[in-house]
């Protein structure tokens, strides 16, 4: 089920919004305009940006305002009707419910639910929906069209007066107003069989096939393809790949699921046949269970006849929030945060990540317990959870991605290695800071952390000196902390041994956050007291230049593209 958000512009809409909210999934929040609405679940500043952000994040939107406002706000984004999440406009008093977008993603069904909650008939305009109460172009979860392009013409024929015969089991068609007859001139066939539709027929594949596999053979994906072909089953009907828990980290198992484009579950059972039998008990089988070497195939009578077994493959995403502002955050990260069941991270970063829904579990902690956090994340993901481990900036720059990799490398637990692990990048503090003043890192540069928590001070100072000798521009992270206020001073001394006192230095504090402050100074003038742990320090190379900035009387800083070639 797609996530939804209710957006209101004025206090007068809150009551209607609450009536809608109770009819939708738990976790559907009411977003109220700051300064205009009190008592909403979340506040927002800009209507247009909020709407576009939710739309990009694939969240269904129910906006309590004139449809024109919604249309204008979303118009620049509308490109692909197949991928559009539902968008509904609802009159403030609940007197009108207008589905605007997302016809192929269930907007009419959502409109119906909202309409029912408000006692209002939704203004449904899609012809097929009005006449037949369904959209063949958008089958419900558990069914896919064998040829998605064919649905439209088929629907036109039905609208033109043709009748259809339904072969197979599909309550959503049987219960609709599609003109079904025993001797229809068209056929809607619902089958897991891999047969072409033939003239006048439309085929839907139900997700009724369970593929259970035993690892041990690199050619497993091919074996599964052959087994399906021998059984005459369509790949699109495969609902699930089952593997034994101890095989959770086997590459061939993962490749099999990837090739079929379906999810995986891990089960404690002795054989493929036993696993398939657990998922599709005999009473729910459409045909006898079949085994092909390490592959067992079970076909259920309907998608919902498949039993939940084992634990699903969990996901662990290490996400980078960027320096602060949500506008500097990658859409994939926002999407991951939205879909996660668990948020794990340093409490400050969790606050920066936004407002979790009530159904999301938040595990905040101190900044120093990175390995514990990484192990906790794997333990949860190995149980099937969808975990977002949250870092500021980029997760691979002095942040959680490394701890997560270390934890996995140290573990020989198949369940941990079987987790769907992804690292989603963010804009690092150095990049955010550099962009504020021009292009100080525009040529070769390096990134050094001055924290001596996990590396000796000698090594740090040695690296700083070598970087200075190599004439690299640099970004110094973790420049000071309460425990080591003197460290930056030592590093600056080393730098001054090598670099000229006029070398440009940028101090960027709270980049991308409300308290953002940037100072451009020089190596000779900078004092450690100007810097704290929320600052990143950029030090220029010998080629780095500065000049005045007209807009605010400030300074531009850049490292030219040429180096020692005499240009410029
Ligand atoms: N993963 C982070 C870095 C974490 S180390 C990233 O890629 O940005 C923490 C250090 O990063 C801080 O001590 C500070 O030097 C720097 N830093 C992180 N966010 C910052 C911000 N918004 N503004 C300035 N410096 C920041």
């Amino acid at each position: 089920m797609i996530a939804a958000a209710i957006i209101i512009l004025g206090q007068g809409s809150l009551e209607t919004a609450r009536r809608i909210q109770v009819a939708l999934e738990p976790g559907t929040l009411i977003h109220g305009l700051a300064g205009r609405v009190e008592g909403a679940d979340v506040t927002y500043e800009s209507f247009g940006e909020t709407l576009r952000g939710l739309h990009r994040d694939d969240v269904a939107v129910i906006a309590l305002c004139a449809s024109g406002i919604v249309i204008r706000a979303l118009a620049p984004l509308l490109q692909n009707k197949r991928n559009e999440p539902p968008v509904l406009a609802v009159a403030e008093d609940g007197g009108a419910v207008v589905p605007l977008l997302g016809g192929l993603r269930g907007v009419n069904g959502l409109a119906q639910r909202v309409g029912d909650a408000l006692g209002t008939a939704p203004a449904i305009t899609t012809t097929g929906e009005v006449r037949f109460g369904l959209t063949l172009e958008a089958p419900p979860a558990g069914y896919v069209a064998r040829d998605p392009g064919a649905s439209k013409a088929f629907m036109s024929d039905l609208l033109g007066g043709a009748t259809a015969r339904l072969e197979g089991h599909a309550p959503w068609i049987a219960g609709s107003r599609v003109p079904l007859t025993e001797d229809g001139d068209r056929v809607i066939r619902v089958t897991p069989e891999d047969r072409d539709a033939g003239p006048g027929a439309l085929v839907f594949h139900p997700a009724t096939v369970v593929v259970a596999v035993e690892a041990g053979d690199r050619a497993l994906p091919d074996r599964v393809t052959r087994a399906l072909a021998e059984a005459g089953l369509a790949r699109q009907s495969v609902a699930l790949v089952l593997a034994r828990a101890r095989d959770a980290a086997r590459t061939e198992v993962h490749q099999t699921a990837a090739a079929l484009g379906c999810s995986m579950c891990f089960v404690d059972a002795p054989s493929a046949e036993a696993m398939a039998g657990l998922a599709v008990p005999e009473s729910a089988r459409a045909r006898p269970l079949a085994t092909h070497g390490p592959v067992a195939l079970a076909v259920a009578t309907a998608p919902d006849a498949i039993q939940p077994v084992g634990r699903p493959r969990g996901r662990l995403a290490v996400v980078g929030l960027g320096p602060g502002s949500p506008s500097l955050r990658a859409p994939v990260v926002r999407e991951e945060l939205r879909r996660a069941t668990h948020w794990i991270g340093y409490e400050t970063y969790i606050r920066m990540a936004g407002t979790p829904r009530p159904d999301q579990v938040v595990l905040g902690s101190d900044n120093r317990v990175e390995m514990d956090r990484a192990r906790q994340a794997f333990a949860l993901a190995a149980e099937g959870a969808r975990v977002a481990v949250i870092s500021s900036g980029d997760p691979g720059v002095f942040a959680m991605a490394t701890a997560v990799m270390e934890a996995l490398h140290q573990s020989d637990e198949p369940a941990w290695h079987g987790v769907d692990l992804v690292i989603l990048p963010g804009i690092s503090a150095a990049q955010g800071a550099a962009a504020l003043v021009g292009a100080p890192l525009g040529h070769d540069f390096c990134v050094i952390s001055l924290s001596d928590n996990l590396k000796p001070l000698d090594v740090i100072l040695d690296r700083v000196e070598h970087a200075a000798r190599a004439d690299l521009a640099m970004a110094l992270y973790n420049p000071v902390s309460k425990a080591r206020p003197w460290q930056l001073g030592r590093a600056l001394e080393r730098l001054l041994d090598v670099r000229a006192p006029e070398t440009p230095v940028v101090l960027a504090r709270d980049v991308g956050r409300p308290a953002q402050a940037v100072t451009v100074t020089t190596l000779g003038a900078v004092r450690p007291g100007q810097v704290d742990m929320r600052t990143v320090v950029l030090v220029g190379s010998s080629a780095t230049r500065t000049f005045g900035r007209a807009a605010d009387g400030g300074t531009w800083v850049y490292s030219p593209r040429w180096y020692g070639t005499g240009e410029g």
Side-chain angles (χ1 to χ4, degrees):
M1 174 59 72
I2 188 163
I6 303 166
I7 318 281
I8 61 176
L9 285 156
Q11 196 67 34
S13 311
L14 187 58
E15 202 241 300
T16 308
R18 291 275 179 229
R19 282 161 64 202
I20 297 171
Q21 187 179 33
V22 293
L24 301 180
E25 267 63 38
T28 306
L29 301 183
I30 298 174
H31 299 239
L33 180 59
R36 294 278 197 81
V37 182
E38 269 188 32
D41 305 322
V42 201
T43 56
Y44 66 86
E45 299 286 339
S46 154
F47 178 78
E49 270 173 37
T50 306
L51 212 64
R52 286 187 289 274
L54 290 162
H55 195 74
R56 281 199 196 96
D57 287 353
D58 205 34
V59 176
V61 165
I62 299 152
L64 274 72
C65 62
S67 48
I69 306 178
V70 183
I71 292 168
R72 258 187 290 279
L74 292 178
L77 302 186
L78 306 183
Q79 273 162 4
N80 183 346
K81 72 169 185 173
R82 292 206 170 272
N83 287 336
E84 260 158 27
V87 179
L88 284 177
V90 175
E92 267 200 47
D93 64 357
V97 177
V98 188
L100 293 173
L101 295 168
L104 298 185
R105 304 270 310 277
V107 75
N108 291 319
L110 184 61
Q112 199 63 58
R113 284 172 73 187
V114 171
D116 289 348
L118 299 173
T120 303
I124 287 173
T125 52
T126 26
T127 324
E129 196 84 34
V130 172
R131 284 271 294 278
F132 305 140
L134 97 181
T135 310
L136 288 175
E137 277 186 90
Y143 297 84
V144 291
R146 182 177 175 92
D147 175 5
S151 307
K152 206 169 178 175
F154 195 90
M155 193 68 147
S156 300
D157 290 349
L158 293 183
L159 288 167
T163 56
R165 187 170 79 239
L166 176 62
E167 281 180 17
H169 177 70
W172 55 284
I173 300 174
S176 74
R177 295 188 297 275
V178 168
L180 297 175
T181 49
E182 285 295 315
D183 55 353
D185 32 19
R186 305 294 157 100
V187 182
I188 302 176
R189 190 175 299 127
V190 182
T191 175
E193 278 168 28
D194 192 20
R195 268 197 292 137
D196 277 332
L202 187 65
V203 173
F204 290 99
H205 290 306
T208 49
V209 177
V210 170
V211 176
V213 295
E214 284 175 62
D217 180 352
R218 295 251 291 285
L220 187 64
D222 292 339
R223 279 177 171 268
V224 169
T225 307
R226 261 183 278 130
L228 287 169
E230 272 169 43
L233 293 169
R235 186 181 43 80
Q236 296 96 315
S237 267
V238 178
L240 191 63
V241 169
L242 293 177
R244 284 181 301 188
R246 66 159 202 249
D247 293 337
R250 298 295 294 250
T251 304
E252 65 270 28
V253 171
H254 289 262
Q255 285 171 336
T256 300
L260 295 169
C262 68
S263 55
M264 262 185 268
C265 269
F266 302 114
V267 191
D268 287 308
S271 66
E273 197 167 6
M275 286 185 272
L278 286 174
V280 187
E282 204 167 346
S283 58
R285 279 178 212 155
R287 50 163 101 172
L289 212 129
T291 35
H292 305 248
V295 182
L297 300 176
V299 184
T301 48
D304 56 11
I306 297 174
Q307 301 302 306
V309 286
R311 50 181 178 73
R313 181 185 188 214
R315 179 166 166 106
L316 196 170
V318 194
V319 304
L321 297 179
S325 152
S327 59
L328 293 179
R329 189 166 301 160
V332 281
V333 169
R334 290 209 297 263
E335 166 77 5
E336 193 69 39
L337 285 168
R338 197 175 61 67
R339 297 181 63 183
T341 54
H342 293 70
W343 288 10
I344 296 191
Y346 175 37
E347 264 153 26
T348 309
Y349 300 155
I350 285 184
R351 274 197 298 278
M352 217 164 93
T355 315
R357 289 188 311 273
D359 61 307
Q360 293 179 307
V361 180
V362 175
L363 301 165
S365 62
D366 184 71
N367 201 11
R368 288 173 179 270
V369 290
E370 282 149 348
M371 284 311 285
D372 292 348
R373 227 185 283 151
R375 293 196 188 99
Q376 183 184 28
F378 272 114
L380 285 164
E383 288 299 315
R386 191 171 174 127
V387 184
V389 173
I390 300 176
S391 280
S392 81
D394 182 85
V397 178
F398 311 125
M400 282 306 292
T402 334
V404 163
M405 298 314 302
E406 281 178 40
L408 185 59
H409 195 188
Q410 287 165 8
S411 162
D412 50 17
E413 181 61 58
W416 287 27
H417 286 267
V419 161
D420 178 13
L421 172 63
V422 292
I423 317 293
L424 302 178
I427 296 174
S428 192
Q431 296 163 286
L436 293 174
V437 295
L441 307 177
H443 207 290
D444 299 342
F445 72 97
C446 68
V447 169
I448 299 178
S449 168
L450 298 192
S451 165
D452 64 353
N453 278 348
L454 299 168
K455 95 188 144 175
L457 180 61
D458 286 350
V459 171
I460 298 172
L461 295 177
D462 206 39
R463 284 191 183 166
V464 167
E465 184 181 327
H466 278 87
R469 289 196 190 287
D471 205 12
L472 295 168
M474 22 184 134
L476 305 177
Y477 284 67
N478 298 306
V480 288
S481 75
K482 286 201 189 75
R484 31 177 193 84
W486 40 269
Q487 212 140 307
L488 178 63
R490 297 279 299 274
L492 292 172
E493 279 166 25
R494 283 284 185 105
L495 283 168
L496 268 172
D497 288 345
V498 184
R499 289 256 170 108
E502 305 76 49
T503 306
V505 167
V506 179
L507 309 177
R509 182 170 197 267
D510 280 332
V511 173
R513 302 174 191 165
Q516 174 176 296
V518 184
T519 309
V520 178
T521 174
T522 63
L523 201 51
V526 65
R527 296 288 166 264
Q530 293 174 274
V531 175
D532 67 5
M533 63 189 287
R534 282 151 64 182
T535 308
V536 63
V537 179
L538 309 182
V539 181
S541 72
S542 66
T544 304
R545 301 281 189 274
T546 60
F547 63 98
R549 161 146 88 179
D552 58 0
T555 308
W556 288 118
V557 186
Y558 72 102
S559 301
R561 291 161 299 125
W562 44 266
Y563 191 88
T565 58
E567 211 183 308

